[in-house]
Amino acid sequence: MSETHAIDSLSQRLADSGLRATPQREVVYNVLLKKRDHPTADEVFARVKTELPTISLATVYNCLETLVQCNLVRAVNFERSPTRYCPNLQPHAHFHDEQTGRTFDIDLPPEVLNQVNTVLPHGFDASSVEITFRGKASSSPS
Amino acid sequence: MSETHAIDSLSQRLADSGLRATPQREVVYNVLLKKRDHPTADEVFARVKTELPTISLATVYNCLETLVQCNLVRAVNFERSPTRYCPNLQPHAHFHDEQTGRTFDIDLPPEVLNQVNTVLPHGFDASSVEITFRGKASSSPS
DNA sequence: GTAGAATTTGGAATTATTCTAATTCCTACT
DNA sequence: AGTAGGAATTAGAATAATTCCAAATTCTAC
């Protein structure tokens, strides 16, 4: 996928959501496409500034959020909300209810855990896995 | 598992790591065992204060970190480090190299994704799943 | 009992992010 | 072409979560 192509799809996506394709948004998106090392907002800010020296950090945050909303970018460590603690040491996943903010433990059968571990290529040695669902919990146990 | 029992295992675990069993650590741990709703550090602080009114927030953070290190507690939203962004929209997991701090995309075959989704009980409607490995990446591509 | 280490404390500092209000930029309409 | 009104950007202040620090306290071992 050429960069220009990608930018076209950016304009398209933005337009679909009734948003404008601005230079800032384009440069932010390009920066993400060019070096796919999961940069932080600060790192994006630094890279974008070489092309748009007057851009502000707030704009970078705005653009990133816009791109996430348009489904062009994923935020990897969501949850700027505080770290949560749980004493359940059995292998389990978490379900985060987006409406209530509550977090539920979801039992994780060994065979599922095993299969998940098979996706790691040679050379990746995982000491832990975290599986987090997000969505709506309709019937809510305790 | 009775509470007393749990506290015994707490002393044990702490001792194993050459750490002391203090009232603060015990109360923090008990608070986590008593109400398993994945509280934040602030919430733990509030609950602990009813029993130890003079405890400080810094101590709560210290105790929580100690408990996590002793493998008695899991931190659910690790990563107090900044949110990271990636333009890869294919279903994929992430591998976080604890030594270098780098994050790698790990391809996620549909059948694995499907199996992961089967763990959700009735009433949980997930709009997204996040799978994050942590560990050591020995051979490191790109 | 006392030295030395571990722990706790309160407050300051830091970090990531969001808010705010003012300005600039577009777009659509005349 | 000129302008009203909304969208986007900007800089800096504000906030929230967490960590740091230095002093006081508490243990533990001798």
Side-chain angles (χ1 to χ4, degrees):
Chain A
M1 190 197 320
S2 87
E3 211 167 77
T4 318
H5 219 145
I7 289 302
D8 286 350
S9 84
L10 169 64
S11 318
Q12 194 52 60
R13 285 290 188 93
L14 288 168
D16 291 350
S17 311
L19 300 168
R20 296 177 189 160
T22 67
Q24 289 87 343
R25 286 173 178 166
E26 288 178 2
V27 174
V28 166
Y29 188 41
N30 263 335
V31 153
L32 290 180
L33 290 175
K34 190 179 282 172
K35 194 168 175 213
R36 292 161 173 255
D37 60 350
H38 305 80
T40 64
D42 260 330
E43 287 162 352
V44 172
F45 182 44
R47 293 175 200 178
V48 168
K49 266 203 289 198
T50 67
E51 242 181 289
L52 296 177
T54 66
I55 198 171
S56 77
L57 180 57
T59 301
V60 170
Y61 273 104
N62 289 342
C63 291
L64 287 170
E65 203 196 318
T66 301
L67 294 175
V68 169
Q69 278 172 355
C70 292
N71 259 303
L72 284 160
V73 164
R74 269 172 70 180
V76 175
N77 277 317
F78 320 65
E79 210 58 83
R80 52 211 82 285
S81 60
T83 303
R84 293 169 178 283
Y85 298 89
C86 85
N88 177 354
L89 298 170
Q90 294 317 113
H92 66 280
H94 288 107
F95 186 97
H96 190 73
D97 187 325
E98 286 169 330
Q99 322 221 270
T100 66
R102 281 204 291 174
T103 300
F104 301 91
D105 285 355
I106 303 288
D107 196 55
L108 209 51
E111 66 271 20
V112 175
L113 196 55
N114 287 338
Q115 210 203 4
V116 165
N117 280 310
T118 64
V119 307
L120 286 177
H122 183 70
F124 289 94
D125 190 10
S127 61
S128 71
V129 202
E130 200 189 2
I131 301 182
T132 306
F133 297 91
R134 264 143 223 290
K136 198 155 65 77
S138 42
S139 76
S140 29
S142 126
Chain B
M1 191 198 319
S2 86
E3 212 169 75
T4 316
H5 218 145
I7 289 301
D8 286 350
S9 83
L10 168 62
S11 318
Q12 194 52 60
R13 287 291 187 94
L14 288 168
D16 290 352
S17 311
L19 300 167
R20 296 178 189 158
T22 67
Q24 288 88 343
R25 286 173 178 166
E26 289 178 2
V27 174
V28 166
Y29 188 41
N30 262 335
V31 153
L32 290 180
L33 291 175
K34 190 179 281 171
K35 194 167 177 215
R36 291 160 173 258
D37 60 349
H38 305 80
T40 65
D42 260 330
E43 287 162 351
V44 172
F45 182 44
R47 293 174 200 178
V48 168
K49 267 203 290 198
T50 67
E51 242 181 289
L52 296 177
T54 66
I55 197 171
S56 77
L57 179 57
T59 301
V60 170
Y61 273 105
N62 289 344
C63 292
L64 288 170
E65 203 196 318
T66 301
L67 295 174
V68 168
Q69 277 171 355
C70 293
N71 259 302
L72 284 160
V73 164
R74 270 174 68 180
V76 175
N77 276 317
F78 320 66
E79 210 57 86
R80 51 208 84 284
S81 60
T83 304
R84 292 168 178 283
Y85 298 90
C86 84
N88 177 355
L89 298 170
Q90 295 319 112
H92 65 280
H94 288 107
F95 186 97
H96 190 73
D97 187 326
E98 285 169 332
Q99 321 221 270
T100 67
R102 283 203 291 173
T103 300
F104 301 90
D105 285 356
I106 303 288
D107 196 55
L108 210 51
E111 68 270 21
V112 175
L113 197 55
N114 286 339
Q115 212 203 1
V116 166
N117 280 310
T118 64
V119 307
L120 286 177
H122 183 70
F124 290 94
D125 190 10
S127 62
S128 69
V129 203
E130 200 190 2
I131 301 182
T132 306
F133 297 91
R134 266 144 221 289
K136 199 155 67 75
S138 43
S139 77
S140 31
S142 134

